[in-house]
Amino acid sequence: MNNGNKEFQNLLIINQHLLSHSKDQIILQSPLPLKTVSSGVTNAGTGWYSTFVNRHVSKSYNSEDHHEEMERFLMQMGAQVEDTVGMMTAVQLEDVCWGFYEGGSFSVFIVVTAGVGNAVDASMSDRHSFDHSPGTINIWVFINGRVSEAASIQGIMTATEAKVKALEAHNVKDPITRSGATGTSTDSILIASTEEGVLLKYAGTITPLGKWISKGVYECTIQAISKYKKRVGAL
């Protein structure tokens, strides 16, 4: 990482140095709370959080109240639930992929875990029965900059579009419809920003921020799916 840019000096930079991972969980611990919007199991929606956890669970995971069970897990690992966004996945966390991308006056750190065992074509999802299995593509987007409300929402859209293209590149099919998959039935996403540095008003696909979100999510998802396929013997 190059910190020579004066815009970055003395600012909080979210990158791989704040990330730790094992076969049981991936944790990013920020020294300061980040402005967050997510679809996590714990503390979904908007807020300010400093701990981010992606937890591995077995494919047979079944809980009557997965929100409560996840909170117990976080407390057992020593996390403060009120400060934590928590996700879960049946993907092997050793196959996590991440990338750090600099956009001049801002930067983006992307973290992806991916599997495609329950791939779905969103345009034909009515042909599927409801499946509440653990999420298989979890995407974290950390932005070193100040992000408007519009940009946070656009960032989710842009990241999702990039994810779809990664699935297309891997020719992932919906096993029920045999059409191209757009995701899995329980994907999850996080957009978090340091709220320091330059103001980023928009994150559509051709904006400066959107271009790096697109590139990062696409590249990291491509790599993560490749690792998944290799693990399950699909390559």
Side-chain angles (χ1 to χ4, degrees):
M1 182 183 66
N2 179 10
N3 279 342
N5 192 318
K6 291 182 180 179
E7 294 288 341
F8 286 148
Q9 290 180 0
N10 301 318
L11 297 180
L12 171 63
I13 303 294
I14 300 297
N15 59 23
Q16 62 269 27
H17 300 299
L18 300 176
L19 191 74
S20 62
H21 65 95
S22 68
K23 64 182 181 64
D24 298 314
Q25 65 258 334
I26 298 168
I27 303 171
L28 188 142
Q29 184 69 60
S30 170
L32 295 174
L34 307 180
K35 187 175 80 170
T36 303
V37 57
S38 82
S39 58
V41 174
T42 304
N43 289 319
T46 60
W48 291 78
Y49 302 100
S50 57
T51 303
F52 304 89
V53 176
N54 190 6
R55 168 198 178 192
H56 173 75
V57 296
S58 70
K59 292 181 179 179
S60 60
Y61 174 87
N62 186 20
S63 174
E64 292 183 359
D65 189 334
H66 63 284
H67 293 284
E68 181 180 327
E69 192 277 333
M70 183 66 170
E71 288 187 3
R72 290 198 302 269
F73 171 83
L74 292 173
M75 288 187 288
Q76 289 171 358
M77 64 173 281
Q80 298 293 322
V81 174
E82 65 272 16
D83 295 329
T84 303
V85 173
M87 297 180 181
M88 57 176 63
T89 179
V91 169
Q92 298 301 313
L93 297 183
E94 297 97 320
D95 296 337
V96 61
C97 293
W98 62 75
F100 183 77
Y101 303 85
E102 284 193 79
S105 59
F106 67 93
S107 61
V108 178
F109 180 50
I110 310 289
V111 183
V112 177
T113 56
V116 294
N118 56 335
V120 174
D121 176 354
S123 69
M124 299 185 182
S125 59
D126 60 329
R127 302 189 187 184
H128 289 256
S129 60
F130 181 72
D131 181 7
H132 205 63
S133 61
T136 48
I137 301 179
N138 287 345
I139 298 172
W140 288 353
V141 179
F142 296 98
I143 302 164
N144 293 301
R146 292 185 292 132
V147 178
S148 71
E149 298 300 319
S152 292
I153 296 170
Q154 290 169 346
I156 293 172
M157 296 167 59
T158 296
T160 301
E161 291 177 26
K163 176 190 71 175
V164 172
K165 293 300 292 184
L167 289 164
E168 180 183 300
H170 272 288
N171 196 30
V172 177
K173 301 295 185 182
D174 180 321
I176 302 297
T177 66
R178 303 309 305 165
S179 54
T182 57
T184 80
S185 59
T186 48
D187 291 348
S188 196
I189 191 165
L190 159 81
I191 304 287
S193 56
T194 61
E195 294 305 289
E196 296 185 357
V198 66
L199 174 61
L200 302 162
K201 294 183 178 180
Y202 305 106
T205 50
I206 63 170
T207 65
L209 175 56
K211 288 178 180 179
W212 288 112
I213 291 175
S214 298
K215 179 178 177 64
V217 170
Y218 179 79
E219 290 182 350
C220 292
T221 305
I222 284 282
Q223 295 171 23
I225 294 175
S226 292
K227 288 185 176 182
Y228 167 82
K229 283 186 170 183
K230 185 176 181 179
R231 182 178 291 276
V232 301
L235 289 179

mmCIF file of all heavy atoms in Angstrom, residues 115-163:
data_model
loop_
_atom_site.group_PDB
_atom_site.id
_atom_site.type_symbol
_atom_site.label_atom_id
_atom_site.label_comp_id
_atom_site.label_asym_id
_atom_site.label_seq_id
_atom_site.Cartn_x
_atom_site.Cartn_y
_atom_site.Cartn_z
ATOM 1 N N GLY A 115 -19.184 -19.535 -2.475
ATOM 2 C CA GLY A 115 -19.481 -20.880 -2.918
ATOM 3 C C GLY A 115 -20.734 -20.791 -3.753
ATOM 4 O O GLY A 115 -21.478 -19.812 -3.662
ATOM 5 N N VAL A 116 -20.981 -21.774 -4.580
ATOM 6 C CA VAL A 116 -22.144 -21.696 -5.483
ATOM 7 C C VAL A 116 -23.009 -22.947 -5.391
ATOM 8 O O VAL A 116 -23.702 -23.314 -6.339
ATOM 9 C CB VAL A 116 -21.685 -21.441 -6.935
ATOM 10 C CG1 VAL A 116 -21.041 -20.064 -7.049
ATOM 11 C CG2 VAL A 116 -20.708 -22.515 -7.408
ATOM 12 N N GLY A 117 -23.012 -23.580 -4.215
ATOM 13 C CA GLY A 117 -23.781 -24.806 -4.044
ATOM 14 C C GLY A 117 -25.277 -24.612 -4.132
ATOM 15 O O GLY A 117 -26.010 -25.553 -4.481
ATOM 16 N N ASN A 118 -25.765 -23.423 -3.819
ATOM 17 C CA ASN A 118 -27.211 -23.163 -3.917
ATOM 18 C C ASN A 118 -27.458 -21.964 -4.822
ATOM 19 O O ASN A 118 -28.173 -21.025 -4.478
ATOM 20 C CB ASN A 118 -27.835 -22.960 -2.532
ATOM 21 C CG ASN A 118 -27.173 -21.855 -1.738
ATOM 22 O OD1 ASN A 118 -26.003 -21.527 -1.958
ATOM 23 N ND2 ASN A 118 -27.899 -21.269 -0.800
ATOM 24 N N ALA A 119 -26.852 -22.034 -6.017
ATOM 25 C CA ALA A 119 -26.961 -20.950 -6.985
ATOM 26 C C ALA A 119 -28.395 -20.788 -7.475
ATOM 27 O O ALA A 119 -29.136 -21.765 -7.630
ATOM 28 C CB ALA A 119 -26.027 -21.211 -8.165
ATOM 29 N N VAL A 120 -28.767 -19.520 -7.732
ATOM 30 C CA VAL A 120 -30.134 -19.198 -8.138
ATOM 31 C C VAL A 120 -30.105 -18.148 -9.235
ATOM 32 O O VAL A 120 -29.317 -17.194 -9.184
ATOM 33 C CB VAL A 120 -30.954 -18.668 -6.943
ATOM 34 C CG1 VAL A 120 -32.327 -18.183 -7.384
ATOM 35 C CG2 VAL A 120 -31.108 -19.733 -5.869
ATOM 36 N N ASP A 121 -30.985 -18.316 -10.221
ATOM 37 C CA ASP A 121 -31.264 -17.280 -11.208
ATOM 38 C C ASP A 121 -32.408 -16.441 -10.655
ATOM 39 O O ASP A 121 -33.539 -16.910 -10.535
ATOM 40 C CB ASP A 121 -31.657 -17.933 -12.539
ATOM 41 C CG ASP A 121 -32.061 -16.928 -13.609
ATOM 42 O OD1 ASP A 121 -32.157 -15.720 -13.299
ATOM 43 O OD2 ASP A 121 -32.300 -17.359 -14.752
ATOM 44 N N ALA A 122 -32.118 -15.193 -10.282
ATOM 45 C CA ALA A 122 -33.116 -14.348 -9.636
ATOM 46 C C ALA A 122 -34.368 -14.163 -10.484
ATOM 47 O O ALA A 122 -35.474 -14.002 -9.947
ATOM 48 C CB ALA A 122 -32.509 -12.982 -9.301
ATOM 49 N N SER A 123 -34.222 -14.208 -11.814
ATOM 50 C CA SER A 123 -35.378 -14.007 -12.680
ATOM 51 C C SER A 123 -36.323 -15.202 -12.676
ATOM 52 O O SER A 123 -37.453 -15.100 -13.160
ATOM 53 C CB SER A 123 -34.918 -13.716 -14.118
ATOM 54 O OG SER A 123 -34.341 -14.873 -14.715
ATOM 55 N N MET A 124 -35.857 -16.331 -12.106
ATOM 56 C CA MET A 124 -36.694 -17.532 -12.054
ATOM 57 C C MET A 124 -36.748 -18.102 -10.638
ATOM 58 O O MET A 124 -36.965 -19.293 -10.442
ATOM 59 C CB MET A 124 -36.160 -18.596 -13.022
ATOM 60 C CG MET A 124 -36.152 -18.172 -14.474
ATOM 61 S SD MET A 124 -35.650 -19.514 -15.570
ATOM 62 C CE MET A 124 -35.698 -18.687 -17.161
ATOM 63 N N SER A 125 -36.556 -17.243 -9.654
ATOM 64 C CA SER A 125 -36.501 -17.723 -8.274
ATOM 65 C C SER A 125 -37.829 -18.274 -7.781
ATOM 66 O O SER A 125 -37.865 -19.005 -6.792
ATOM 67 C CB SER A 125 -36.036 -16.600 -7.337
ATOM 68 O OG SER A 125 -36.910 -15.489 -7.411
ATOM 69 N N ASP A 126 -38.938 -17.971 -8.470
ATOM 70 C CA ASP A 126 -40.231 -18.508 -8.057
ATOM 71 C C ASP A 126 -40.308 -20.016 -8.246
ATOM 72 O O ASP A 126 -41.213 -20.668 -7.713
ATOM 73 C CB ASP A 126 -41.361 -17.821 -8.837
ATOM 74 C CG ASP A 126 -41.252 -18.003 -10.339
ATOM 75 O OD1 ASP A 126 -40.114 -18.112 -10.853
ATOM 76 O OD2 ASP A 126 -42.307 -18.035 -11.002
ATOM 77 N N ARG A 127 -39.357 -20.593 -8.946
ATOM 78 C CA ARG A 127 -39.331 -22.045 -9.148
ATOM 79 C C ARG A 127 -38.623 -22.768 -8.004
ATOM 80 O O ARG A 127 -38.581 -23.992 -7.977
ATOM 81 C CB ARG A 127 -38.658 -22.386 -10.474
ATOM 82 C CG ARG A 127 -39.332 -21.745 -11.682
ATOM 83 C CD ARG A 127 -38.773 -22.276 -12.970
ATOM 84 N NE ARG A 127 -39.299 -21.545 -14.119
ATOM 85 C CZ ARG A 127 -39.028 -21.855 -15.387
ATOM 86 N NH1 ARG A 127 -38.243 -22.895 -15.661
ATOM 87 N NH2 ARG A 127 -39.528 -21.129 -16.373
ATOM 88 N N HIS A 128 -38.054 -21.992 -7.082
ATOM 89 C CA HIS A 128 -37.345 -22.577 -5.949
ATOM 90 C C HIS A 128 -38.222 -22.561 -4.705
ATOM 91 O O HIS A 128 -39.022 -21.637 -4.510
ATOM 92 C CB HIS A 128 -36.064 -21.784 -5.651
ATOM 93 C CG HIS A 128 -34.986 -21.970 -6.678
ATOM 94 N ND1 HIS A 128 -33.888 -22.762 -6.451
ATOM 95 C CD2 HIS A 128 -34.842 -21.459 -7.926
ATOM 96 C CE1 HIS A 128 -33.111 -22.729 -7.522
ATOM 97 N NE2 HIS A 128 -33.670 -21.941 -8.422
ATOM 98 N N SER A 129 -38.020 -23.557 -3.840
ATOM 99 C CA SER A 129 -38.634 -23.521 -2.516
ATOM 100 C C SER A 129 -37.775 -22.646 -1.618
ATOM 101 O O SER A 129 -36.600 -22.400 -1.904
ATOM 102 C CB SER A 129 -38.734 -24.930 -1.932
ATOM 103 O OG SER A 129 -37.451 -25.518 -1.819
ATOM 104 N N PHE A 130 -38.352 -22.140 -0.526
ATOM 105 C CA PHE A 130 -37.611 -21.266 0.383
ATOM 106 C C PHE A 130 -36.486 -22.043 1.038
ATOM 107 O O PHE A 130 -36.680 -23.123 1.583
ATOM 108 C CB PHE A 130 -38.540 -20.698 1.454
ATOM 109 C CG PHE A 130 -37.841 -19.772 2.420
ATOM 110 C CD1 PHE A 130 -37.439 -18.515 2.014
ATOM 111 C CD2 PHE A 130 -37.575 -20.175 3.717
ATOM 112 C CE1 PHE A 130 -36.781 -17.651 2.883
ATOM 113 C CE2 PHE A 130 -36.922 -19.323 4.602
ATOM 114 C CZ PHE A 130 -36.531 -18.061 4.178
ATOM 115 N N ASP A 131 -35.292 -21.477 0.996
ATOM 116 C CA ASP A 131 -34.106 -22.115 1.576
ATOM 117 C C ASP A 131 -33.444 -21.126 2.512
ATOM 118 O O ASP A 131 -33.009 -20.065 2.081
ATOM 119 C CB ASP A 131 -33.134 -22.526 0.463
ATOM 120 C CG ASP A 131 -31.890 -23.210 0.995
ATOM 121 O OD1 ASP A 131 -31.831 -23.482 2.220
ATOM 122 O OD2 ASP A 131 -30.971 -23.476 0.204
ATOM 123 N N HIS A 132 -33.356 -21.476 3.783
ATOM 124 C CA HIS A 132 -32.747 -20.571 4.761
ATOM 125 C C HIS A 132 -31.382 -21.085 5.198
ATOM 126 O O HIS A 132 -30.961 -20.920 6.325
ATOM 127 C CB HIS A 132 -33.664 -20.428 5.972
ATOM 128 C CG HIS A 132 -33.451 -19.138 6.714
ATOM 129 N ND1 HIS A 132 -33.694 -17.914 6.135
ATOM 130 C CD2 HIS A 132 -32.995 -18.878 7.961
ATOM 131 C CE1 HIS A 132 -33.429 -16.966 7.009
ATOM 132 N NE2 HIS A 132 -32.979 -17.518 8.110
ATOM 133 N N SER A 133 -30.662 -21.730 4.270
ATOM 134 C CA SER A 133 -29.329 -22.236 4.578
ATOM 135 C C SER A 133 -28.354 -21.077 4.693
ATOM 136 O O SER A 133 -28.618 -19.973 4.216
ATOM 137 C CB SER A 133 -28.867 -23.203 3.475
ATOM 138 O OG SER A 133 -28.795 -22.539 2.238
ATOM 139 N N PRO A 134 -27.188 -21.288 5.328
ATOM 140 C CA PRO A 134 -26.229 -20.202 5.516
ATOM 141 C C PRO A 134 -25.762 -19.608 4.199
ATOM 142 O O PRO A 134 -25.641 -20.300 3.191
ATOM 143 C CB PRO A 134 -25.068 -20.885 6.245
ATOM 144 C CG PRO A 134 -25.679 -22.075 6.887
ATOM 145 C CD PRO A 134 -26.767 -22.533 5.968
ATOM 146 N N GLY A 135 -25.520 -18.297 4.198
ATOM 147 C CA GLY A 135 -25.116 -17.595 2.985
ATOM 148 C C GLY A 135 -23.839 -18.143 2.383
ATOM 149 O O GLY A 135 -22.942 -18.582 3.102
ATOM 150 N N THR A 136 -23.755 -18.128 1.072
ATOM 151 C CA THR A 136 -22.585 -18.702 0.416
ATOM 152 C C THR A 136 -21.723 -17.681 -0.306
ATOM 153 O O THR A 136 -20.581 -17.962 -0.609
ATOM 154 C CB THR A 136 -23.003 -19.806 -0.571
ATOM 155 O OG1 THR A 136 -24.064 -19.332 -1.390
ATOM 156 C CG2 THR A 136 -23.470 -21.024 0.186
ATOM 157 N N ILE A 137 -22.234 -16.510 -0.644
ATOM 158 C CA ILE A 137 -21.382 -15.442 -1.168
ATOM 159 C C ILE A 137 -21.553 -14.236 -0.251
ATOM 160 O O ILE A 137 -22.599 -13.593 -0.256
ATOM 161 C CB ILE A 137 -21.721 -15.061 -2.620
ATOM 162 C CG1 ILE A 137 -21.586 -16.263 -3.549
ATOM 163 C CG2 ILE A 137 -20.807 -13.932 -3.087
ATOM 164 C CD1 ILE A 137 -21.929 -15.973 -5.003
ATOM 165 N N ASN A 138 -20.549 -13.989 0.548
ATOM 166 C CA ASN A 138 -20.559 -12.835 1.445
ATOM 167 C C ASN A 138 -19.529 -11.829 0.956
ATOM 168 O O ASN A 138 -18.361 -12.170 0.769
ATOM 169 C CB ASN A 138 -20.233 -13.253 2.881
ATOM 170 C CG ASN A 138 -21.385 -13.993 3.538
ATOM 171 O OD1 ASN A 138 -22.519 -13.956 3.042
ATOM 172 N ND2 ASN A 138 -21.121 -14.648 4.649
ATOM 173 N N ILE A 139 -19.967 -10.592 0.744
ATOM 174 C CA ILE A 139 -19.116 -9.545 0.198
ATOM 175 C C ILE A 139 -19.004 -8.400 1.195
ATOM 176 O O ILE A 139 -20.021 -7.870 1.648
ATOM 177 C CB ILE A 139 -19.682 -9.015 -1.135
ATOM 178 C CG1 ILE A 139 -19.718 -10.132 -2.186
ATOM 179 C CG2 ILE A 139 -18.869 -7.822 -1.637
ATOM 180 C CD1 ILE A 139 -20.446 -9.740 -3.465
ATOM 181 N N TRP A 140 -17.771 -8.043 1.523
ATOM 182 C CA TRP A 140 -17.499 -6.869 2.356
ATOM 183 C C TRP A 140 -16.821 -5.814 1.481
ATOM 184 O O TRP A 140 -15.829 -6.100 0.811
ATOM 185 C CB TRP A 140 -16.552 -7.207 3.501
ATOM 186 C CG TRP A 140 -17.137 -8.053 4.598
ATOM 187 C CD1 TRP A 140 -18.435 -8.440 4.753
ATOM 188 C CD2 TRP A 140 -16.421 -8.613 5.709
ATOM 189 N NE1 TRP A 140 -18.573 -9.199 5.894
ATOM 190 C CE2 TRP A 140 -17.364 -9.311 6.494
ATOM 191 C CE3 TRP A 140 -15.095 -8.562 6.120
ATOM 192 C CZ2 TRP A 140 -16.997 -9.983 7.663
ATOM 193 C CZ3 TRP A 140 -14.724 -9.234 7.278
ATOM 194 C CH2 TRP A 140 -15.669 -9.929 8.049
ATOM 195 N N VAL A 141 -17.334 -4.591 1.535
ATOM 196 C CA VAL A 141 -16.734 -3.467 0.831
ATOM 197 C C VAL A 141 -16.428 -2.386 1.861
ATOM 198 O O VAL A 141 -17.345 -1.784 2.439
ATOM 199 C CB VAL A 141 -17.672 -2.902 -0.258
ATOM 200 C CG1 VAL A 141 -17.023 -1.708 -0.950
ATOM 201 C CG2 VAL A 141 -18.028 -3.985 -1.271
ATOM 202 N N PHE A 142 -15.152 -2.144 2.105
ATOM 203 C CA PHE A 142 -14.717 -1.098 3.023
ATOM 204 C C PHE A 142 -14.167 0.067 2.199
ATOM 205 O O PHE A 142 -13.301 -0.123 1.346
ATOM 206 C CB PHE A 142 -13.643 -1.617 3.975
ATOM 207 C CG PHE A 142 -14.134 -2.698 4.893
ATOM 208 C CD1 PHE A 142 -13.902 -4.036 4.597
ATOM 209 C CD2 PHE A 142 -14.827 -2.373 6.054
ATOM 210 C CE1 PHE A 142 -14.358 -5.040 5.446
ATOM 211 C CE2 PHE A 142 -15.295 -3.369 6.908
ATOM 212 C CZ PHE A 142 -15.061 -4.704 6.606
ATOM 213 N N ILE A 143 -14.666 1.264 2.479
ATOM 214 C CA ILE A 143 -14.298 2.438 1.702
ATOM 215 C C ILE A 143 -13.569 3.429 2.595
ATOM 216 O O ILE A 143 -14.092 3.839 3.640
ATOM 217 C CB ILE A 143 -15.552 3.106 1.093
ATOM 218 C CG1 ILE A 143 -16.305 2.098 0.199
ATOM 219 C CG2 ILE A 143 -15.161 4.351 0.297
ATOM 220 C CD1 ILE A 143 -17.716 2.518 -0.135
ATOM 221 N N ASN A 144 -12.375 3.781 2.210
ATOM 222 C CA ASN A 144 -11.595 4.796 2.910
ATOM 223 C C ASN A 144 -11.957 6.155 2.331
ATOM 224 O O ASN A 144 -11.352 6.628 1.372
ATOM 225 C CB ASN A 144 -10.098 4.506 2.768
ATOM 226 C CG ASN A 144 -9.697 3.235 3.488
ATOM 227 O OD1 ASN A 144 -9.879 3.122 4.690
ATOM 228 N ND2 ASN A 144 -9.184 2.265 2.750
ATOM 229 N N GLY A 145 -12.980 6.768 2.899
ATOM 230 C CA GLY A 145 -13.490 8.036 2.418
ATOM 231 C C GLY A 145 -14.833 8.311 3.069
ATOM 232 O O GLY A 145 -15.357 7.488 3.825
ATOM 233 N N ARG A 146 -15.396 9.478 2.773
ATOM 234 C CA ARG A 146 -16.730 9.832 3.254
ATOM 235 C C ARG A 146 -17.734 9.476 2.168
ATOM 236 O O ARG A 146 -17.556 9.861 1.008
ATOM 237 C CB ARG A 146 -16.793 11.321 3.597
ATOM 238 C CG ARG A 146 -15.941 11.701 4.803
ATOM 239 C CD ARG A 146 -16.132 13.170 5.175
ATOM 240 N NE ARG A 146 -15.576 14.062 4.161
ATOM 241 C CZ ARG A 146 -16.207 15.108 3.650
ATOM 242 N NH1 ARG A 146 -17.444 15.395 4.022
ATOM 243 N NH2 ARG A 146 -15.610 15.871 2.760
ATOM 244 N N VAL A 147 -18.771 8.759 2.543
ATOM 245 C CA VAL A 147 -19.700 8.199 1.567
ATOM 246 C C VAL A 147 -21.110 8.719 1.828
ATOM 247 O O VAL A 147 -21.623 8.599 2.947
ATOM 248 C CB VAL A 147 -19.673 6.654 1.618
ATOM 249 C CG1 VAL A 147 -20.669 6.065 0.633
ATOM 250 C CG2 VAL A 147 -18.267 6.133 1.332
ATOM 251 N N SER A 148 -21.743 9.265 0.798
ATOM 252 C CA SER A 148 -23.110 9.748 0.942
ATOM 253 C C SER A 148 -24.075 8.576 1.079
ATOM 254 O O SER A 148 -23.737 7.425 0.776
ATOM 255 C CB SER A 148 -23.503 10.595 -0.276
ATOM 256 O OG SER A 148 -23.672 9.768 -1.419
ATOM 257 N N GLU A 149 -25.297 8.866 1.518
ATOM 258 C CA GLU A 149 -26.314 7.811 1.615
ATOM 259 C C GLU A 149 -26.579 7.216 0.238
ATOM 260 O O GLU A 149 -26.728 5.988 0.092
ATOM 261 C CB GLU A 149 -27.603 8.379 2.214
ATOM 262 C CG GLU A 149 -27.455 8.923 3.622
ATOM 263 C CD GLU A 149 -26.995 7.873 4.610
ATOM 264 O OE1 GLU A 149 -27.468 6.730 4.532
ATOM 265 O OE2 GLU A 149 -26.145 8.191 5.463
ATOM 266 N N ALA A 150 -26.649 8.063 -0.767
ATOM 267 C CA ALA A 150 -26.877 7.576 -2.125
ATOM 268 C C ALA A 150 -25.761 6.634 -2.562
ATOM 269 O O ALA A 150 -26.010 5.577 -3.155
ATOM 270 C CB ALA A 150 -26.983 8.750 -3.101
ATOM 271 N N ALA A 151 -24.519 7.016 -2.257
ATOM 272 C CA ALA A 151 -23.378 6.200 -2.672
ATOM 273 C C ALA A 151 -23.371 4.845 -1.961
ATOM 274 O O ALA A 151 -22.976 3.841 -2.543
ATOM 275 C CB ALA A 151 -22.076 6.938 -2.420
ATOM 276 N N SER A 152 -23.799 4.815 -0.700
ATOM 277 C CA SER A 152 -23.866 3.541 0.013
ATOM 278 C C SER A 152 -24.819 2.577 -0.685
ATOM 279 O O SER A 152 -24.507 1.391 -0.886
ATOM 280 C CB SER A 152 -24.317 3.751 1.455
ATOM 281 O OG SER A 152 -23.337 4.437 2.209
ATOM 282 N N ILE A 153 -25.988 3.083 -1.070
ATOM 283 C CA ILE A 153 -26.975 2.229 -1.741
ATOM 284 C C ILE A 153 -26.502 1.866 -3.145
ATOM 285 O O ILE A 153 -26.608 0.703 -3.578
ATOM 286 C CB ILE A 153 -28.338 2.936 -1.786
ATOM 287 C CG1 ILE A 153 -28.868 3.150 -0.365
ATOM 288 C CG2 ILE A 153 -29.343 2.135 -2.611
ATOM 289 C CD1 ILE A 153 -30.081 4.034 -0.267
ATOM 290 N N GLN A 154 -25.955 2.846 -3.860
ATOM 291 C CA GLN A 154 -25.430 2.550 -5.188
ATOM 292 C C GLN A 154 -24.284 1.553 -5.127
ATOM 293 O O GLN A 154 -24.112 0.720 -6.025
ATOM 294 C CB GLN A 154 -24.965 3.843 -5.860
ATOM 295 C CG GLN A 154 -26.100 4.765 -6.248
ATOM 296 C CD GLN A 154 -25.620 6.140 -6.662
ATOM 297 O OE1 GLN A 154 -24.472 6.531 -6.427
ATOM 298 N NE2 GLN A 154 -26.497 6.901 -7.293
ATOM 299 N N GLY A 155 -23.491 1.602 -4.038
ATOM 300 C CA GLY A 155 -22.399 0.647 -3.874
ATOM 301 C C GLY A 155 -22.898 -0.780 -3.791
ATOM 302 O O GLY A 155 -22.272 -1.701 -4.330
ATOM 303 N N ILE A 156 -24.035 -0.977 -3.128
ATOM 304 C CA ILE A 156 -24.633 -2.313 -3.062
ATOM 305 C C ILE A 156 -25.041 -2.770 -4.457
ATOM 306 O O ILE A 156 -24.795 -3.915 -4.858
ATOM 307 C CB ILE A 156 -25.841 -2.315 -2.113
ATOM 308 C CG1 ILE A 156 -25.385 -2.069 -0.673
ATOM 309 C CG2 ILE A 156 -26.613 -3.622 -2.220
ATOM 310 C CD1 ILE A 156 -26.524 -1.872 0.309
ATOM 311 N N MET A 157 -25.678 -1.868 -5.215
ATOM 312 C CA MET A 157 -26.097 -2.202 -6.577
ATOM 313 C C MET A 157 -24.897 -2.546 -7.449
ATOM 314 O O MET A 157 -24.894 -3.560 -8.170
ATOM 315 C CB MET A 157 -26.868 -1.019 -7.173
ATOM 316 C CG MET A 157 -28.158 -0.688 -6.469
ATOM 317 S SD MET A 157 -28.841 0.918 -6.969
ATOM 318 C CE MET A 157 -29.038 0.686 -8.729
ATOM 319 N N THR A 158 -23.862 -1.722 -7.388
ATOM 320 C CA THR A 158 -22.676 -1.921 -8.215
ATOM 321 C C THR A 158 -21.972 -3.223 -7.864
ATOM 322 O O THR A 158 -21.561 -3.988 -8.743
ATOM 323 C CB THR A 158 -21.723 -0.723 -8.054
ATOM 324 O OG1 THR A 158 -22.376 0.452 -8.554
ATOM 325 C CG2 THR A 158 -20.426 -0.931 -8.808
ATOM 326 N N ALA A 159 -21.838 -3.498 -6.566
ATOM 327 C CA ALA A 159 -21.192 -4.740 -6.136
ATOM 328 C C ALA A 159 -21.986 -5.951 -6.605
ATOM 329 O O ALA A 159 -21.408 -6.964 -7.031
ATOM 330 C CB ALA A 159 -21.054 -4.751 -4.615
ATOM 331 N N THR A 160 -23.306 -5.862 -6.558
ATOM 332 C CA THR A 160 -24.150 -6.976 -6.985
ATOM 333 C C THR A 160 -24.009 -7.229 -8.478
ATOM 334 O O THR A 160 -23.924 -8.388 -8.924
ATOM 335 C CB THR A 160 -25.620 -6.697 -6.625
ATOM 336 O OG1 THR A 160 -25.727 -6.515 -5.211
ATOM 337 C CG2 THR A 160 -26.511 -7.850 -7.047
ATOM 338 N N GLU A 161 -23.969 -6.155 -9.264
ATOM 339 C CA GLU A 161 -23.787 -6.320 -10.703
ATOM 340 C C GLU A 161 -22.448 -6.984 -11.011
ATOM 341 O O GLU A 161 -22.360 -7.851 -11.893
ATOM 342 C CB GLU A 161 -23.894 -4.967 -11.397
ATOM 343 C CG GLU A 161 -25.303 -4.379 -11.371
ATOM 344 C CD GLU A 161 -25.380 -3.004 -12.009
ATOM 345 O OE1 GLU A 161 -24.543 -2.697 -12.879
ATOM 346 O OE2 GLU A 161 -26.288 -2.239 -11.639
ATOM 347 N N ALA A 162 -21.414 -6.588 -10.295
ATOM 348 C CA ALA A 162 -20.094 -7.194 -10.504
ATOM 349 C C ALA A 162 -20.099 -8.666 -10.106
ATOM 350 O O ALA A 162 -19.474 -9.503 -10.768
ATOM 351 C CB ALA A 162 -19.042 -6.428 -9.707
ATOM 352 N N LYS A 163 -20.802 -8.993 -9.030
ATOM 353 C CA LYS A 163 -20.921 -10.394 -8.605
ATOM 354 C C LYS A 163 -21.583 -11.236 -9.685
ATOM 355 O O LYS A 163 -21.133 -12.359 -9.986
ATOM 356 C CB LYS A 163 -21.729 -10.473 -7.313
ATOM 357 C CG LYS A 163 -21.991 -11.891 -6.817
ATOM 358 C CD LYS A 163 -23.004 -11.912 -5.684
ATOM 359 C CE LYS A 163 -24.398 -11.582 -6.167
ATOM 360 N NZ LYS A 163 -25.418 -11.721 -5.094
#
